Amino acid sequence: MRRLWYQAERRWIVSCVSETTVRTTHPSPSVPTAPTAPATAASAAAGPAVLTPLGLLTVLLGAALPLIDFFIVNVALPAIDADLAAGPAMLELVVGGYGVAYSVLLVLGGRIGDTVGRRRLFVIGMAAFGLTSLACGLAPTAWTLVGARVAQGAAAALMLPQVLATIQATTQGPRRARAMSLYGATAGLSMVAGQILGGVLVAADVAGSGWRSVFLVNVPVVVAGLVLAVRAVPETRSERPASVDVPGTLLLGLTLVSLLLPLTEGRAAGWPLWTWVALAVSPFAALAFYLTERRADRLGRTPLVPPSLLRLVSLRRGLVMMLPFSMGFSGFMFVVAVALQQGLRMGPVAAGLALVPMALAFFGASLAGPRLVGRFGSRVVTAGGLIQGLGIALVLAAVWYGWPDLGLAGLAPGVAVAGLGQGLQLPVLMRMMLSDVPADRAGVGSGVMVTTQQSSLALGVATVGTLFLALADSLGMRAALAVTLLVQLALIALTVALSLRLPRVMR
C-alpha cells in the first residue's frame, strides 16, 4: 500500500510540473532558453513548488478551522451564559471579538506570509490557533474567554491567507480550478458544519466539558495538521517581498474596528455614546486609508492593499458581490440558531441537525460547479442566487404557516434548496476573484478577499442579527424571523443583480 501511495504521489507531482510548463534546469542545447524571473535559493535548487493531494488536504484543513470556529459558538452561547454568567454584552464580544481581530489582521497576515514564507506562517498560525483554542476551553471567566477569543482570531488571521496563497503559487490550469473549487466548498461547508458540530458537542457533554468542548476539539486537530503541514505543504514566498505598510495597517485596523465593534456590541450595551462616535469615525478612517494607499502606490512603495490590485475587474466586482452574499449567509445562520432554540425550544442537537440538508446540498453543488462553469461561465453564480432565493422563500413560507409546530421535516426542503444555491455561488465566486491575481501577490489578494468575506460575515451577524433580536422583543419570534428572512431575500436579489456584471468567461 505504501508503494502504491508513493507511486500515485509521484504521478501527481510529475503531472503538476508538466502542466506548469516550467523549463528544466538542463535544457536541450539546440533550444535557447529565455531569461526567467529571479527565484529563491530553495526554488532554484529544488525546482517549482508543487502541492500534492496530501498538501492540499492539509491547507484545506487550515481553511476550515477558522470558519468553523466563527459559527461553532452560536449554539453554545446559552451554555456559556449559564456557566460563566456572561450576559448579553459579553456574549456579543465572544462572537464579535474573534471576528474583529480576524478581519483586521487578515491582509497583514497575507503580506507577512509573502515575505517570510507561507508554509512557515501557516505552521506558526496553526500552532497559535491550537494554543488559543486551549485557552478558550479552559477559560475560568467570561473576560478571560473574550481575551482568548480575540487571540484566537489573530492566530486565524495568520493562518488562513496562506491557504489561498499557497494554492495560487503551486497550481496551474485545471488543477488550480479544482483546488479553488474544493476551497470554496470547504469554506461553505465549514460555516454550516460549525453550527452542526457545536450542537452535537454541547449536547454530548464529553467528560463533563459542556460548551468547552467546542474549543478543545481543535487541539488534536491542530496537532495532526501541524504534522501534515511539515511533511506535505511546500514552502513558497513572493519573489519581490515587500515591507509591512505600517500606516496602511493601522488605518485599515481603525476602519474595521470602528465599524464592526459598535455594530457588534451596540445593541447589547444599549448604544452608548462611544458606539456612535466610532461609527462616525469609520468613513473618515476608510477615506484616509484609501488616500494613504494611493499615495504610497504613486511613490513606488508597496501599500498594504495596492490600488492596482483593485483595478482587476474580476477581483473588484467579486468583492462587491461578496459583501451582500456573506452578510445574508451569516445573518441567516445566526438567526436560525437563536430562533430554533429560543423560539421553537429545540435542543442544540436538533438546531444543528436542521442545517444538515443545507450542508449536503452545498457539497453536491460545489462538486458540480467546475463542470457547470466550463459550460455556462459566471451565469452559474446568477442561477445559484435565484435558487438560493427560492430556498429562503420556502423557509419563509414554512415559518409563517408552520409556527409554532414547525419541525425539521418542514424546514428541510427550504434549507436544502438554499444550500444548493449557495454551493453554486461561493466556490465559483472565490475562484473567479483570484483568477487574475499575479502569483507574487497571491498572499495580498487572498488576504483582501478573505478580509471582505470575514468582515461581511461579522456585519451580517451585527446587522441582521441585531434586527432580529430587536424585533423579537416587540413583535414576537415568528414575525421577527419572517422579517429577517425578507431582508435576506433582498440581499439575495442584490447579489443576483451584481452577478450579471461578473466577467462571463472564467479561467
Side-chain angles (χ1 to χ4, degrees):
M1 288 300 291
R2 179 174 297 178
R3 179 177 296 176
L4 291 174
W5 167 256
Y6 286 147
Q7 289 174 350
E9 189 174 62
R10 184 174 181 180
R11 287 196 297 271
W12 171 278
I13 293 174
V14 170
S15 66
C16 285
V17 174
S18 64
E19 190 175 78
T20 57
T21 64
V22 177
R23 297 184 187 273
T24 65
T25 56
H26 300 287
S28 170
S30 62
V31 182
T33 57
T36 57
T40 63
S43 63
V50 176
L51 189 64
T52 64
L54 185 61
L56 178 60
L57 174 65
T58 304
V59 294
L60 290 179
L61 176 64
L65 285 173
L67 291 170
I68 286 175
D69 267 63
F70 184 89
F71 289 93
I72 200 170
V73 298
N74 281 349
V75 293
L77 291 176
I80 294 173
D81 188 20
D83 187 29
L84 300 181
M90 199 66 66
L91 292 176
E92 293 278 0
L93 279 177
V94 170
V95 178
Y98 176 87
V100 171
Y102 187 19
S103 303
V104 167
L105 297 173
L106 274 167
V107 179
L108 180 61
R111 168 66 60 83
I112 296 174
D114 285 349
T115 303
V116 307
R118 291 158 186 148
R119 182 181 68 177
R120 177 183 298 178
L121 201 61
F122 179 82
V123 169
I124 292 172
M126 180 172 278
F129 191 85
L131 291 173
T132 52
S133 296
L134 181 62
C136 289
L138 300 178
T141 66
W143 274 113
T144 307
L145 177 59
V146 169
R149 282 284 283 174
V150 171
Q152 189 187 35
L158 296 179
M159 176 172 57
L160 187 59
Q162 317 319 319
V163 175
L164 282 170
T166 298
I167 291 174
Q168 288 288 100
T170 58
T171 59
Q172 293 289 337
R175 216 170 277 280
R176 177 182 292 178
R178 287 192 294 271
M180 287 300 301
S181 295
L182 286 172
Y183 175 87
T186 300
L189 283 173
S190 298
M191 291 186 277
V192 179
Q195 213 144 298
I196 298 171
L197 180 62
V200 172
L201 288 173
V202 171
D205 193 21
V206 180
S209 58
W211 61 267
R212 298 178 187 275
S213 60
V214 304
F215 301 113
L216 296 176
V217 71
N218 291 333
V219 177
V221 177
V222 164
V223 171
L226 289 173
V227 173
L228 292 174
V230 171
R231 178 182 184 273
V233 177
E235 181 64 282
T236 62
R237 67 187 71 198
S238 174
E239 295 176 352
R240 296 176 293 172
S243 59
V244 174
D245 175 15
V246 176
T249 301
L250 294 176
L251 285 171
L252 177 62
L254 178 61
T255 301
L256 293 175
V257 170
S258 60
L259 175 65
L260 296 177
L261 189 59
L263 289 177
T264 301
E265 194 60 13
R267 185 197 66 86
W271 297 105
L273 178 61
W274 70 265
T275 59
W276 299 107
V277 173
L279 288 172
V281 167
S282 181
F284 294 102
L287 178 61
F289 171 71
Y290 171 74
L291 295 176
T292 299
E293 299 298 273
R294 188 177 66 174
R295 182 173 181 271
D297 210 18
R298 287 177 175 175
L299 293 176
R301 302 169 188 163
T302 306
L304 184 69
V305 180
S308 57
L309 201 62
L310 298 179
R311 285 198 289 270
L312 297 174
V313 174
S314 55
L315 179 63
R316 185 178 67 250
R317 293 183 179 176
L319 291 174
V320 173
M321 184 181 165
M322 181 66 78
L323 179 63
F325 176 86
S326 296
M327 286 182 64
F329 195 114
S330 64
F332 175 81
M333 299 293 287
F334 176 81
V335 166
V336 164
V338 176
L340 295 184
Q341 290 188 90
Q342 296 185 6
L344 295 177
R345 303 301 177 188
M346 291 185 182
V349 173
L353 290 178
L355 298 174
V356 168
M358 175 178 283
L360 295 176
F362 189 106
F363 183 68
S366 300
L367 295 180
R371 294 192 298 273
L372 294 174
V373 168
R375 183 173 180 182
F376 301 107
S378 64
R379 291 300 174 261
V380 173
V381 180
T382 305
L386 294 173
I387 294 171
Q388 183 191 4
L390 174 62
I392 297 301
L394 291 174
V395 174
L396 176 60
V399 168
W400 192 253
Y401 293 106
W403 198 277
D405 300 318
L406 183 61
L408 299 183
L411 286 170
V415 296
V417 173
L420 179 65
Q422 290 163 347
L424 292 176
Q425 292 175 85
L426 186 60
V428 177
L429 186 59
M430 287 182 165
R431 169 184 162 188
M432 182 212 69
M433 281 192 283
L434 295 178
S435 60
D436 296 323
V437 175
D440 64 336
R441 290 190 171 184
V444 177
S446 61
V448 170
M449 185 191 76
V450 180
T451 296
T452 303
Q453 181 195 31
Q454 185 62 39
S455 302
S456 302
L457 290 174
L459 275 175
V461 174
T463 54
V464 179
T466 296
L467 174 65
F468 169 75
L469 294 174
L471 292 176
D473 291 336
S474 56
L475 300 179
M477 197 72 70
R478 173 195 178 203
L481 182 55
V483 171
T484 51
L485 289 173
L486 288 173
V487 170
Q488 190 183 6
L489 281 174
L491 291 172
I492 292 171
L494 179 57
T495 63
V496 170
L498 291 172
S499 72
L500 298 175
R501 291 179 50 81
L502 298 175
R504 181 66 183 270
V505 178
M506 302 186 66
R507 293 188 291 165

PDB file of all heavy atoms in Angstrom, residues 136-151:
ATOM      1  N   CYS A 136      -9.281  29.108  25.307  1.00  0.00           N
ATOM      2  CA  CYS A 136     -10.736  29.314  25.308  1.00  0.00           C
ATOM      3  C   CYS A 136     -11.435  28.198  26.087  1.00  0.00           C
ATOM      4  O   CYS A 136     -12.343  28.446  26.886  1.00  0.00           O
ATOM      5  CB  CYS A 136     -11.265  29.352  23.878  1.00  0.00           C
ATOM      6  SG  CYS A 136     -10.830  30.810  22.915  1.00  0.00           S
ATOM      7  N   GLY A 137     -11.007  26.961  25.851  1.00  0.00           N
ATOM      8  CA  GLY A 137     -11.650  25.832  26.505  1.00  0.00           C
ATOM      9  C   GLY A 137     -11.432  25.784  28.002  1.00  0.00           C
ATOM     10  O   GLY A 137     -12.244  25.198  28.721  1.00  0.00           O
ATOM     11  N   LEU A 138     -10.346  26.390  28.473  1.00  0.00           N
ATOM     12  CA  LEU A 138     -10.043  26.381  29.901  1.00  0.00           C
ATOM     13  C   LEU A 138     -10.382  27.704  30.587  1.00  0.00           C
ATOM     14  O   LEU A 138     -10.074  27.872  31.772  1.00  0.00           O
ATOM     15  CB  LEU A 138      -8.548  26.076  30.115  1.00  0.00           C
ATOM     16  CG  LEU A 138      -8.050  24.727  29.571  1.00  0.00           C
ATOM     17  CD1 LEU A 138      -6.550  24.587  29.807  1.00  0.00           C
ATOM     18  CD2 LEU A 138      -8.806  23.562  30.200  1.00  0.00           C
ATOM     19  N   ALA A 139     -10.984  28.644  29.864  1.00  0.00           N
ATOM     20  CA  ALA A 139     -11.242  29.989  30.402  1.00  0.00           C
ATOM     21  C   ALA A 139     -12.088  29.917  31.671  1.00  0.00           C
ATOM     22  O   ALA A 139     -13.193  29.359  31.662  1.00  0.00           O
ATOM     23  CB  ALA A 139     -11.935  30.844  29.362  1.00  0.00           C
ATOM     24  N   PRO A 140     -11.620  30.522  32.799  1.00  0.00           N
ATOM     25  CA  PRO A 140     -12.381  30.473  34.045  1.00  0.00           C
ATOM     26  C   PRO A 140     -13.454  31.545  34.151  1.00  0.00           C
ATOM     27  O   PRO A 140     -14.386  31.409  34.940  1.00  0.00           O
ATOM     28  CB  PRO A 140     -11.301  30.674  35.116  1.00  0.00           C
ATOM     29  CG  PRO A 140     -10.259  31.504  34.431  1.00  0.00           C
ATOM     30  CD  PRO A 140     -10.273  31.101  32.988  1.00  0.00           C
ATOM     31  N   THR A 141     -13.317  32.640  33.382  1.00  0.00           N
ATOM     32  CA  THR A 141     -14.274  33.748  33.466  1.00  0.00           C
ATOM     33  C   THR A 141     -14.660  34.186  32.059  1.00  0.00           C
ATOM     34  O   THR A 141     -13.990  33.849  31.075  1.00  0.00           O
ATOM     35  CB  THR A 141     -13.676  34.950  34.216  1.00  0.00           C
ATOM     36  OG1 THR A 141     -12.585  35.492  33.441  1.00  0.00           O
ATOM     37  CG2 THR A 141     -13.176  34.541  35.594  1.00  0.00           C
ATOM     38  N   ALA A 142     -15.719  34.989  31.999  1.00  0.00           N
ATOM     39  CA  ALA A 142     -16.174  35.488  30.702  1.00  0.00           C
ATOM     40  C   ALA A 142     -15.133  36.400  30.060  1.00  0.00           C
ATOM     41  O   ALA A 142     -14.888  36.340  28.854  1.00  0.00           O
ATOM     42  CB  ALA A 142     -17.497  36.230  30.876  1.00  0.00           C
ATOM     43  N   TRP A 143     -14.494  37.265  30.858  1.00  0.00           N
ATOM     44  CA  TRP A 143     -13.490  38.168  30.300  1.00  0.00           C
ATOM     45  C   TRP A 143     -12.283  37.393  29.787  1.00  0.00           C
ATOM     46  O   TRP A 143     -11.687  37.741  28.756  1.00  0.00           O
ATOM     47  CB  TRP A 143     -13.053  39.203  31.333  1.00  0.00           C
ATOM     48  CG  TRP A 143     -13.940  40.407  31.388  1.00  0.00           C
ATOM     49  CD1 TRP A 143     -14.754  40.787  32.413  1.00  0.00           C
ATOM     50  CD2 TRP A 143     -14.119  41.386  30.353  1.00  0.00           C
ATOM     51  NE1 TRP A 143     -15.431  41.941  32.090  1.00  0.00           N
ATOM     52  CE2 TRP A 143     -15.063  42.328  30.835  1.00  0.00           C
ATOM     53  CE3 TRP A 143     -13.599  41.557  29.078  1.00  0.00           C
ATOM     54  CZ2 TRP A 143     -15.472  43.426  30.083  1.00  0.00           C
ATOM     55  CZ3 TRP A 143     -14.005  42.646  28.316  1.00  0.00           C
ATOM     56  CH2 TRP A 143     -14.929  43.570  28.825  1.00  0.00           C
ATOM     57  N   THR A 144     -11.897  36.348  30.479  1.00  0.00           N
ATOM     58  CA  THR A 144     -10.798  35.511  30.004  1.00  0.00           C
ATOM     59  C   THR A 144     -11.151  34.860  28.674  1.00  0.00           C
ATOM     60  O   THR A 144     -10.316  34.778  27.761  1.00  0.00           O
ATOM     61  CB  THR A 144     -10.470  34.419  31.038  1.00  0.00           C
ATOM     62  OG1 THR A 144     -10.260  35.022  32.308  1.00  0.00           O
ATOM     63  CG2 THR A 144      -9.227  33.650  30.633  1.00  0.00           C
ATOM     64  N   LEU A 145     -12.386  34.408  28.551  1.00  0.00           N
ATOM     65  CA  LEU A 145     -12.830  33.803  27.310  1.00  0.00           C
ATOM     66  C   LEU A 145     -12.789  34.815  26.165  1.00  0.00           C
ATOM     67  O   LEU A 145     -12.348  34.496  25.058  1.00  0.00           O
ATOM     68  CB  LEU A 145     -14.242  33.237  27.473  1.00  0.00           C
ATOM     69  CG  LEU A 145     -14.879  32.621  26.219  1.00  0.00           C
ATOM     70  CD1 LEU A 145     -14.027  31.474  25.687  1.00  0.00           C
ATOM     71  CD2 LEU A 145     -16.305  32.135  26.526  1.00  0.00           C
ATOM     72  N   VAL A 146     -13.229  36.038  26.420  1.00  0.00           N
ATOM     73  CA  VAL A 146     -13.205  37.077  25.389  1.00  0.00           C
ATOM     74  C   VAL A 146     -11.767  37.340  24.932  1.00  0.00           C
ATOM     75  O   VAL A 146     -11.471  37.431  23.729  1.00  0.00           O
ATOM     76  CB  VAL A 146     -13.865  38.375  25.899  1.00  0.00           C
ATOM     77  CG1 VAL A 146     -13.597  39.535  24.934  1.00  0.00           C
ATOM     78  CG2 VAL A 146     -15.365  38.171  26.070  1.00  0.00           C
ATOM     79  N   GLY A 147     -10.842  37.471  25.897  1.00  0.00           N
ATOM     80  CA  GLY A 147      -9.447  37.702  25.538  1.00  0.00           C
ATOM     81  C   GLY A 147      -8.864  36.563  24.722  1.00  0.00           C
ATOM     82  O   GLY A 147      -8.137  36.774  23.738  1.00  0.00           O
ATOM     83  N   ALA A 148      -9.181  35.332  25.106  1.00  0.00           N
ATOM     84  CA  ALA A 148      -8.682  34.177  24.358  1.00  0.00           C
ATOM     85  C   ALA A 148      -9.296  34.119  22.959  1.00  0.00           C
ATOM     86  O   ALA A 148      -8.623  33.723  21.994  1.00  0.00           O
ATOM     87  CB  ALA A 148      -8.994  32.891  25.126  1.00  0.00           C
ATOM     88  N   ARG A 149     -10.557  34.531  22.836  1.00  0.00           N
ATOM     89  CA  ARG A 149     -11.188  34.546  21.513  1.00  0.00           C
ATOM     90  C   ARG A 149     -10.555  35.584  20.600  1.00  0.00           C
ATOM     91  O   ARG A 149     -10.377  35.357  19.396  1.00  0.00           O
ATOM     92  CB  ARG A 149     -12.681  34.820  21.662  1.00  0.00           C
ATOM     93  CG  ARG A 149     -13.481  33.628  22.099  1.00  0.00           C
ATOM     94  CD  ARG A 149     -13.687  32.637  20.965  1.00  0.00           C
ATOM     95  NE  ARG A 149     -14.714  33.101  20.031  1.00  0.00           N
ATOM     96  CZ  ARG A 149     -15.013  32.480  18.899  1.00  0.00           C
ATOM     97  NH1 ARG A 149     -14.333  31.399  18.531  1.00  0.00           N
ATOM     98  NH2 ARG A 149     -15.962  32.935  18.100  1.00  0.00           N
ATOM     99  N   VAL A 150     -10.202  36.747  21.144  1.00  0.00           N
ATOM    100  CA  VAL A 150      -9.520  37.763  20.341  1.00  0.00           C
ATOM    101  C   VAL A 150      -8.178  37.226  19.850  1.00  0.00           C
ATOM    102  O   VAL A 150      -7.810  37.375  18.675  1.00  0.00           O
ATOM    103  CB  VAL A 150      -9.332  39.059  21.152  1.00  0.00           C
ATOM    104  CG1 VAL A 150      -8.430  40.039  20.407  1.00  0.00           C
ATOM    105  CG2 VAL A 150     -10.685  39.715  21.433  1.00  0.00           C
ATOM    106  N   ALA A 151      -7.429  36.579  20.753  1.00  0.00           N
ATOM    107  CA  ALA A 151      -6.144  35.988  20.367  1.00  0.00           C
ATOM    108  C   ALA A 151      -6.340  34.875  19.340  1.00  0.00           C
ATOM    109  O   ALA A 151      -5.529  34.709  18.415  1.00  0.00           O
ATOM    110  CB  ALA A 151      -5.424  35.456  21.607  1.00  0.00           C
TER     111      ALA A 151
END
